[in-house]
């Protein structure tokens, strides 16, 4: 089984439009939306939620007011300053509590409960283009890397069970922990960028990350005609690193129009962009064939 991850660093590069179109083109695959803070791929793929699961990774403390003597020991021991004396009693700020359990250990009145809390939800949806694994992380939750790893694991399980040959991953934004969780061990990473200084900056940081993990990689320059000088500079820079520029796609208002109509670009229209995306798909397939994780005797074709 192969895992193809599409990332972009910053938002607004058109990554989700390209992922949606690749999802529409691929045959034997599971799609994963790893943007757990603001997932939107399901809107393009016309999803129908089949399973909802709680995402639980930690416990949080709370004070039983009937037992508490307001001695203040718990606040003294809490190194996260999550326990405050307010309006004549000790209270725990659930957002600040890191769930270490120290307060419970030292409370002389056994007044502190320590229970699992839901940090978000993850879903398995049916879509017009196969199963989709996606999630919604709770507000102010910081476990996005762990949730991304969970989504990838669930997608692999579905792929194994159904003998699908590909897991197609819409990666999270940025370059931090969730991105690392989404690309580690992947067969191929496709970076979608655009000719702007901030995107170029993110691209360089992503390429350093990819080089560190030694993953097969390609770059798509979307909206390439909005700054031809910078596009040329990006191309030279990427190629100097020994990385392939898989395609350049001109600015295409149809990408936004298709999104507004909740469709992938491939389904919405046939134009120069969709022909480029089809070419991207074929190029990546050929690249993945030569990647170490490729099974030569794979049962199903992804194209
Ligand atoms: S240590 Fe226990 S008894 Fe003391 S203030 Fe905290 S919860 Fe209340
Ligand atoms: S569990 Fe840890 S972080 Fe949370 S309130 Fe108790 S001591 Fe503070």
């Amino acid at each position: 089984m192969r895992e193809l991850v599409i990332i972009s660093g910053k938002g607004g590069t058109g990554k989700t439009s390209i992922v949606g179109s690749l999802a529409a083109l691929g045959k034997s695959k599971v799609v994963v939306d790893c943007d757990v803070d603001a997932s939107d791929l399901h809107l393009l793929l016309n999803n129908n939620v089949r399973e909802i699961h709680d995402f639980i990774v930690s416990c949080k403390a709370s004070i039983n007011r009937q037992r508490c003597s307001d001695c203040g020991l718990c606040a003294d021991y809490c190194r996260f300053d999550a326990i405050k004396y307010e309006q004549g009693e000790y209270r725990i700020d659930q957002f600040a509590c890191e769930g270490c359990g120290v307060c419970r250990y030292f409370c002389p009145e056994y007044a502190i409960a320590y229970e699992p809390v839901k940090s978000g939800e993850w879903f398995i949806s049916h879509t017009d283009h196969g199963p989709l694994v996606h999630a919604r992380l709770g507000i102010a939750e910081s476990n996005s890397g762990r949730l991304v790893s969970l989504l990838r694991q669930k997608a692999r399980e579905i792929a194994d069970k159904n003998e699908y040959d590909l897991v197609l991953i819409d990666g999270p934004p940025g370059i931090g922990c969730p991105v690392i969780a989404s690309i580690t061990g992947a067969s191929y990473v496709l970076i979608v960028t655009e000719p702007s200084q901030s995107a170029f900056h993110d691209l360089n940081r992503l390429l350093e990350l990819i080089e560190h993990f030694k993953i097969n990689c390609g770059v798509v320059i979307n909206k390439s005609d909005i700054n031809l000088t910078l596009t040329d500079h990006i191309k030279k820079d990427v190629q100097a690193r020994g990385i392939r520029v898989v395609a350049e796609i001109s600015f295409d208002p149809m990408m936004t129009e298709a999104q507004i109509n909740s469709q992938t670009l491939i389904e919405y229209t046939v134009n120069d962009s969709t022909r480029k995306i089809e070419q991207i798909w074929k190029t990546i397939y050929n690249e993945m064939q030569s990647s170490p994780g490729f099974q030569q005797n794979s049962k199903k074709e992804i194209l």
Side-chain angles (χ1 to χ4, degrees):
M1 182 204 311
R2 288 149 287 178
E3 285 183 291
L4 165 61
V5 189
I6 296 103
I7 52 176
S8 68
K10 73 183 277 291
T13 58
K15 172 177 65 79
T16 299
S17 286
I18 292 173
V19 175
S21 291
L22 295 180
L25 285 170
K27 286 179 186 156
S28 168
K29 46 106 194 32
V30 181
V31 183
V32 189
D33 187 350
C34 285
D35 187 353
V36 296
D37 290 305
S39 68
D40 55 4
L41 185 61
H42 60 286
L43 302 173
L44 279 188
L45 300 183
N46 198 12
N47 75 312
N48 198 328
V49 175
R50 294 285 165 87
E51 291 182 30
I52 303 176
H53 301 270
D54 289 342
F55 174 58
I56 295 170
V57 282
S58 60
C59 293
K60 297 223 179 201
S62 61
I63 294 175
N64 179 339
R65 292 302 322 156
Q66 266 76 49
R67 300 187 81 123
C68 177
S69 62
D70 288 319
C71 69
L73 258 182
C74 54
D76 292 344
Y77 279 107
C78 178
R79 59 192 291 246
F80 299 100
D81 283 333
I83 306 179
K84 301 266 190 288
Y85 190 66
E86 290 168 340
Q87 297 168 5
E89 61 186 34
Y90 282 91
R91 294 178 177 180
I92 297 179
D93 175 351
Q94 292 294 306
F95 289 113
C97 174
E98 292 281 331
C100 67
V102 166
C103 54
R104 184 176 190 234
Y105 183 81
F106 285 103
C107 174
E109 309 293 346
Y110 302 100
I112 294 184
Y114 185 64
E115 287 166 351
V117 287
K118 187 168 133 181
S119 298
E121 291 178 319
W122 62 274
F123 315 95
I124 298 176
S125 281
H126 172 81
T127 79
D128 298 342
H129 308 294
L132 170 69
V133 185
H134 53 124
R136 183 170 47 220
L137 195 63
I139 294 163
E141 290 291 343
S142 58
N143 285 303
S144 47
R146 291 176 78 169
L147 185 50
V148 164
S149 297
L150 176 77
L151 297 184
R152 279 183 73 189
Q153 180 201 323
K154 295 297 169 190
R156 282 195 294 262
E157 286 171 11
I158 294 169
D160 277 341
K161 193 172 157 200
N162 296 284
E163 297 190 333
Y164 291 146
D165 195 43
L166 178 72
V167 176
L168 175 65
I169 300 169
D170 187 2
I175 56 146
C177 173
V179 173
I180 293 170
S182 74
I183 65 169
T184 310
S187 316
Y188 193 93
V189 173
L190 182 70
I191 304 175
V192 180
T193 190
E194 64 179 17
S196 68
Q197 286 299 343
S198 61
F200 184 42
H201 177 255
D202 287 343
L203 173 65
N204 275 310
R205 297 179 72 186
L206 286 174
L207 289 172
E208 280 165 20
L209 201 63
I210 303 289
E211 279 163 2
H212 175 77
F213 285 103
K214 297 186 172 49
I215 304 170
N216 215 359
C217 168
V219 172
V220 170
I221 307 174
N222 192 25
K223 308 177 201 170
S224 58
D225 55 341
I226 64 171
N227 186 334
L228 291 173
T229 309
L230 192 47
T231 291
D232 196 47
H233 186 61
I234 291 171
K235 268 166 62 181
K236 285 183 179 141
D237 193 71
V238 168
Q239 284 159 352
R241 290 172 180 265
I243 291 168
R244 180 201 283 259
V245 175
V246 182
E248 293 170 50
I249 303 174
S250 299
F251 175 76
D252 185 356
M254 287 289 183
M255 284 201 182
T256 309
E257 208 176 290
Q259 270 185 331
I260 290 167
N261 286 283
S262 301
Q263 284 187 47
T264 66
L265 186 67
I266 287 281
E267 295 164 295
Y268 190 68
T269 190
V270 176
N271 63 7
D272 188 55
S273 304
T274 59
R275 281 186 281 276
K276 291 266 178 67
I277 292 171
E278 283 170 1
Q279 194 51 49
I280 291 168
W281 194 227
K282 285 178 184 153
T283 304
I284 293 172
Y285 178 74
N286 290 333
E287 289 266 335
M288 282 197 294
Q289 271 189 315
S290 57
S291 73
F294 181 71
Q295 310 284 313
Q296 285 299 335
N297 56 355
S298 173
K299 292 193 177 90
K300 293 184 181 177
E301 289 296 309
I302 60 169
L303 278 172

